[in-house]
Short mmCIF file of all heavy atoms in Angstrom, two decimals:
data_model
loop_
_atom_site.label_atom_id
_atom_site.label_comp_id
_atom_site.label_asym_id
_atom_site.label_seq_id
_atom_site.Cartn_x
_atom_site.Cartn_y
_atom_site.Cartn_z
N ARG A 807 2.07 -4.32 10.88
CA ARG A 807 1.31 -5.55 11.14
C ARG A 807 1.24 -6.46 9.92
O ARG A 807 1.26 -7.68 10.05
CB ARG A 807 -0.10 -5.21 11.58
CG ARG A 807 -0.19 -4.53 12.91
CD ARG A 807 -1.61 -4.24 13.23
NE ARG A 807 -1.77 -3.60 14.52
CZ ARG A 807 -2.90 -3.16 14.97
NH1 ARG A 807 -4.00 -3.28 14.26
NH2 ARG A 807 -2.96 -2.59 16.15
N VAL A 808 1.11 -5.86 8.74
CA VAL A 808 0.96 -6.69 7.53
C VAL A 808 2.30 -7.10 6.93
O VAL A 808 2.38 -8.09 6.22
CB VAL A 808 0.09 -6.00 6.45
CG1 VAL A 808 -1.29 -5.73 6.98
CG2 VAL A 808 0.73 -4.78 5.89
N GLU A 809 3.35 -6.36 7.23
CA GLU A 809 4.66 -6.66 6.63
C GLU A 809 5.11 -8.10 6.86
O GLU A 809 5.58 -8.75 5.93
CB GLU A 809 5.72 -5.68 7.13
CG GLU A 809 7.06 -5.89 6.47
CD GLU A 809 8.12 -4.92 6.95
OE1 GLU A 809 7.96 -4.35 8.04
OE2 GLU A 809 9.12 -4.77 6.23
N PRO A 810 4.96 -8.67 8.07
CA PRO A 810 5.39 -10.06 8.25
C PRO A 810 4.56 -11.07 7.46
O PRO A 810 5.01 -12.19 7.23
CB PRO A 810 5.21 -10.30 9.76
CG PRO A 810 5.09 -8.97 10.38
CD PRO A 810 4.57 -8.05 9.33
N LEU A 811 3.37 -10.70 7.03
CA LEU A 811 2.51 -11.61 6.28
C LEU A 811 2.84 -11.65 4.79
O LEU A 811 2.39 -12.54 4.08
CB LEU A 811 1.04 -11.20 6.46
CG LEU A 811 0.53 -11.15 7.90
CD1 LEU A 811 -0.89 -10.59 7.94
CD2 LEU A 811 0.59 -12.52 8.53
N ILE A 812 3.60 -10.67 4.31
CA ILE A 812 3.96 -10.58 2.90
C ILE A 812 5.41 -11.02 2.75
O ILE A 812 6.31 -10.44 3.35
CB ILE A 812 3.80 -9.14 2.38
CG1 ILE A 812 2.39 -8.62 2.65
CG2 ILE A 812 4.13 -9.07 0.90
CD1 ILE A 812 2.23 -7.14 2.40
N PRO A 813 5.67 -12.05 1.92
CA PRO A 813 7.06 -12.48 1.73
C PRO A 813 7.93 -11.35 1.17
O PRO A 813 7.46 -10.51 0.39
CB PRO A 813 6.94 -13.62 0.71
CG PRO A 813 5.53 -14.09 0.83
CD PRO A 813 4.72 -12.89 1.19
N ARG A 814 9.19 -11.35 1.56
CA ARG A 814 10.13 -10.33 1.09
C ARG A 814 10.22 -10.35 -0.43
O ARG A 814 10.19 -11.40 -1.06
CB ARG A 814 11.52 -10.59 1.65
CG ARG A 814 11.68 -10.12 3.04
CD ARG A 814 13.09 -10.35 3.52
NE ARG A 814 13.35 -9.41 4.59
CZ ARG A 814 14.52 -8.87 4.83
NH1 ARG A 814 15.54 -9.18 4.09
NH2 ARG A 814 14.67 -8.03 5.82
N GLY A 815 10.34 -9.15 -1.00
CA GLY A 815 10.52 -9.01 -2.43
C GLY A 815 9.22 -9.04 -3.24
O GLY A 815 9.25 -8.83 -4.45
N GLU A 816 8.10 -9.28 -2.59
CA GLU A 816 6.82 -9.34 -3.30
C GLU A 816 6.37 -7.95 -3.75
O GLU A 816 6.75 -6.94 -3.17
CB GLU A 816 5.74 -9.96 -2.41
CG GLU A 816 5.93 -11.44 -2.15
CD GLU A 816 5.56 -12.31 -3.33
OE1 GLU A 816 4.65 -11.94 -4.10
OE2 GLU A 816 6.18 -13.37 -3.48
N VAL A 817 5.52 -7.94 -4.77
CA VAL A 817 4.98 -6.70 -5.31
C VAL A 817 3.73 -6.32 -4.52
O VAL A 817 2.79 -7.11 -4.40
CB VAL A 817 4.65 -6.84 -6.80
CG1 VAL A 817 4.01 -5.58 -7.34
CG2 VAL A 817 5.91 -7.19 -7.58
N VAL A 818 3.72 -5.09 -3.96
CA VAL A 818 2.64 -4.62 -3.09
C VAL A 818 2.18 -3.26 -3.57
O VAL A 818 2.98 -2.45 -4.03
CB VAL A 818 3.13 -4.49 -1.63
CG1 VAL A 818 2.00 -4.06 -0.71
CG2 VAL A 818 3.77 -5.76 -1.15
N THR A 819 0.89 -2.99 -3.44
CA THR A 819 0.39 -1.64 -3.61
C THR A 819 -0.46 -1.29 -2.40
O THR A 819 -1.05 -2.17 -1.78
CB THR A 819 -0.41 -1.46 -4.92
OG1 THR A 819 -0.69 -0.08 -5.10
CG2 THR A 819 -1.69 -2.25 -4.92
N VAL A 820 -0.46 -0.01 -2.06
CA VAL A 820 -1.15 0.46 -0.85
C VAL A 820 -1.97 1.69 -1.22
O VAL A 820 -1.46 2.60 -1.88
CB VAL A 820 -0.13 0.82 0.26
CG1 VAL A 820 -0.83 1.33 1.49
CG2 VAL A 820 0.74 -0.39 0.59
N PHE A 821 -3.23 1.70 -0.79
CA PHE A 821 -4.09 2.86 -1.06
C PHE A 821 -5.30 2.82 -0.13
O PHE A 821 -5.59 1.81 0.49
CB PHE A 821 -4.55 2.88 -2.52
CG PHE A 821 -5.21 1.61 -2.96
CD1 PHE A 821 -6.57 1.41 -2.77
CD2 PHE A 821 -4.47 0.61 -3.57
CE1 PHE A 821 -7.18 0.24 -3.17
CE2 PHE A 821 -5.07 -0.57 -3.96
CZ PHE A 821 -6.43 -0.76 -3.77
N ARG A 822 -6.01 3.94 -0.08
CA ARG A 822 -7.27 4.05 0.64
C ARG A 822 -8.37 3.95 -0.42
O ARG A 822 -8.52 4.85 -1.25
CB ARG A 822 -7.35 5.39 1.36
CG ARG A 822 -8.64 5.60 2.16
CD ARG A 822 -8.65 6.97 2.83
NE ARG A 822 -7.50 7.20 3.68
CZ ARG A 822 -7.45 6.89 4.97
NH1 ARG A 822 -8.50 6.36 5.55
NH2 ARG A 822 -6.38 7.12 5.69
N PRO A 823 -9.14 2.85 -0.44
CA PRO A 823 -10.17 2.68 -1.47
C PRO A 823 -11.24 3.78 -1.42
O PRO A 823 -11.57 4.29 -0.36
CB PRO A 823 -10.79 1.33 -1.15
CG PRO A 823 -9.79 0.62 -0.32
CD PRO A 823 -9.08 1.69 0.45
N MET A 824 -11.75 4.10 -2.60
CA MET A 824 -12.89 5.02 -2.72
C MET A 824 -14.02 4.20 -3.33
O MET A 824 -13.88 3.68 -4.44
CB MET A 824 -12.57 6.21 -3.62
CG MET A 824 -11.59 7.18 -3.02
SD MET A 824 -11.29 8.58 -4.09
CE MET A 824 -12.67 9.60 -3.68
N ASP A 825 -15.11 4.06 -2.58
CA ASP A 825 -16.25 3.25 -3.01
C ASP A 825 -15.82 1.82 -3.35
O ASP A 825 -16.31 1.22 -4.31
CB ASP A 825 -16.96 3.89 -4.21
CG ASP A 825 -17.50 5.27 -3.88
OD1 ASP A 825 -17.96 5.45 -2.73
OD2 ASP A 825 -17.46 6.16 -4.74
N GLY A 826 -14.86 1.29 -2.60
CA GLY A 826 -14.40 -0.07 -2.79
C GLY A 826 -13.43 -0.28 -3.93
O GLY A 826 -12.99 -1.39 -4.19
N ARG A 827 -13.06 0.78 -4.64
CA ARG A 827 -12.16 0.67 -5.79
C ARG A 827 -10.85 1.40 -5.51
O ARG A 827 -10.79 2.34 -4.73
CB ARG A 827 -12.83 1.24 -7.03
CG ARG A 827 -14.09 0.49 -7.42
CD ARG A 827 -14.77 1.15 -8.59
NE ARG A 827 -14.00 1.03 -9.81
CZ ARG A 827 -14.30 0.22 -10.81
NH1 ARG A 827 -15.36 -0.55 -10.73
NH2 ARG A 827 -13.56 0.19 -11.89
N SER A 828 -9.81 0.97 -6.21
CA SER A 828 -8.52 1.64 -6.06
C SER A 828 -8.52 2.96 -6.84
O SER A 828 -9.28 3.12 -7.79
CB SER A 828 -7.39 0.73 -6.55
OG SER A 828 -7.56 0.45 -7.91
N HIS A 829 -7.69 3.86 -6.40
CA HIS A 829 -7.50 5.13 -7.08
C HIS A 829 -6.10 5.61 -6.76
O HIS A 829 -5.38 5.01 -5.97
CB HIS A 829 -8.56 6.16 -6.63
CG HIS A 829 -8.39 6.60 -5.21
ND1 HIS A 829 -7.80 7.79 -4.88
CD2 HIS A 829 -8.70 5.99 -4.05
CE1 HIS A 829 -7.78 7.90 -3.56
NE2 HIS A 829 -8.31 6.83 -3.04
N ASN A 830 -5.67 6.68 -7.39
CA ASN A 830 -4.32 7.20 -7.18
C ASN A 830 -4.24 7.94 -5.84
O ASN A 830 -4.44 9.13 -5.77
CB ASN A 830 -3.91 8.11 -8.33
CG ASN A 830 -3.66 7.33 -9.59
OD1 ASN A 830 -3.16 6.21 -9.54
ND2 ASN A 830 -4.04 7.88 -10.73
N ASP A 831 -3.92 7.18 -4.81
CA ASP A 831 -3.79 7.70 -3.45
C ASP A 831 -2.30 7.87 -3.15
O ASP A 831 -1.65 6.97 -2.64
CB ASP A 831 -4.44 6.71 -2.48
CG ASP A 831 -4.31 7.13 -1.04
OD1 ASP A 831 -3.91 8.27 -0.78
OD2 ASP A 831 -4.63 6.31 -0.17
N HIS A 832 -1.78 9.02 -3.49
CA HIS A 832 -0.33 9.23 -3.40
C HIS A 832 0.18 9.27 -1.96
O HIS A 832 1.28 8.79 -1.69
CB HIS A 832 0.06 10.51 -4.13
CG HIS A 832 -0.31 10.49 -5.57
ND1 HIS A 832 0.29 9.64 -6.48
CD2 HIS A 832 -1.23 11.19 -6.27
CE1 HIS A 832 -0.23 9.83 -7.67
NE2 HIS A 832 -1.17 10.76 -7.57
N ASP A 833 -0.60 9.82 -1.03
CA ASP A 833 -0.13 9.93 0.36
C ASP A 833 0.19 8.57 0.96
O ASP A 833 1.27 8.34 1.50
CB ASP A 833 -1.16 10.65 1.23
CG ASP A 833 -1.32 12.11 0.86
OD1 ASP A 833 -0.41 12.66 0.21
OD2 ASP A 833 -2.35 12.70 1.24
N ASN A 834 -0.76 7.64 0.88
CA ASN A 834 -0.56 6.32 1.48
C ASN A 834 0.44 5.49 0.68
O ASN A 834 1.24 4.75 1.25
CB ASN A 834 -1.89 5.60 1.61
CG ASN A 834 -2.75 6.22 2.68
OD1 ASN A 834 -2.35 6.30 3.83
ND2 ASN A 834 -3.93 6.69 2.31
N TYR A 835 0.41 5.62 -0.63
CA TYR A 835 1.37 4.88 -1.47
C TYR A 835 2.81 5.31 -1.15
O TYR A 835 3.69 4.47 -0.94
CB TYR A 835 1.05 5.11 -2.95
CG TYR A 835 2.21 4.89 -3.87
CD1 TYR A 835 2.77 3.62 -4.05
CD2 TYR A 835 2.78 5.95 -4.57
CE1 TYR A 835 3.86 3.42 -4.89
CE2 TYR A 835 3.86 5.76 -5.41
CZ TYR A 835 4.39 4.51 -5.57
OH TYR A 835 5.46 4.30 -6.39
N LEU A 836 3.04 6.61 -1.07
CA LEU A 836 4.41 7.09 -0.80
C LEU A 836 4.85 6.76 0.62
O LEU A 836 6.03 6.49 0.86
CB LEU A 836 4.50 8.58 -1.08
CG LEU A 836 4.37 8.95 -2.57
CD1 LEU A 836 4.32 10.46 -2.74
CD2 LEU A 836 5.50 8.35 -3.38
N ALA A 837 3.92 6.76 1.57
CA ALA A 837 4.27 6.35 2.93
C ALA A 837 4.69 4.88 2.93
O ALA A 837 5.64 4.48 3.61
CB ALA A 837 3.09 6.56 3.87
N ALA A 838 4.00 4.06 2.14
CA ALA A 838 4.33 2.63 2.06
C ALA A 838 5.69 2.40 1.42
O ALA A 838 6.40 1.45 1.79
CB ALA A 838 3.25 1.89 1.28
N VAL A 839 6.08 3.24 0.46
CA VAL A 839 7.40 3.10 -0.15
C VAL A 839 8.48 3.18 0.92
O VAL A 839 9.44 2.41 0.91
CB VAL A 839 7.61 4.18 -1.24
CG1 VAL A 839 9.06 4.23 -1.70
CG2 VAL A 839 6.69 3.94 -2.42
N GLY A 840 8.31 4.08 1.86
CA GLY A 840 9.30 4.22 2.93
C GLY A 840 9.16 3.18 4.03
O GLY A 840 10.15 2.80 4.65
N LEU A 841 7.94 2.68 4.27
CA LEU A 841 7.71 1.76 5.38
C LEU A 841 7.84 0.29 5.01
O LEU A 841 7.83 -0.57 5.88
CB LEU A 841 6.33 2.01 5.98
CG LEU A 841 6.19 3.37 6.69
CD1 LEU A 841 4.73 3.65 7.03
CD2 LEU A 841 7.03 3.38 7.95
N LEU A 842 7.93 -0.01 3.72
CA LEU A 842 8.10 -1.41 3.27
C LEU A 842 9.38 -1.53 2.44
O LEU A 842 9.34 -1.78 1.23
CB LEU A 842 6.89 -1.86 2.44
CG LEU A 842 5.55 -1.94 3.17
CD1 LEU A 842 4.42 -2.24 2.19
CD2 LEU A 842 5.60 -2.98 4.27
N PRO A 843 10.54 -1.36 3.06
CA PRO A 843 11.79 -1.35 2.30
C PRO A 843 12.16 -2.70 1.69
O PRO A 843 12.97 -2.75 0.76
CB PRO A 843 12.83 -0.91 3.33
CG PRO A 843 12.27 -1.36 4.63
CD PRO A 843 10.78 -1.20 4.50
#
């Protein structure tokens, strides 16, 4: 759903926030590496 809203080649990070802050969420980040080629 969000992929069409982000221009191709842009820098993106993906995570599940903890208390509203980013953290090292490897599961979602690595899934995004494969899903946002």
Side-chain angles (χ1 to χ4, degrees):
R807 293 180 179 175
V808 300
E809 184 180 21
L811 303 174
I812 305 170
R814 280 182 156 213
E816 291 284 329
V817 176
V818 182
T819 189
V820 179
F821 54 87
R822 181 181 304 271
M824 290 182 83
D825 299 324
R827 298 176 68 106
S828 62
H829 68 101
N830 289 325
D831 177 11
H832 301 293
D833 292 341
N834 289 302
Y835 157 67
L836 292 174
V839 169
L841 292 170
L842 295 173

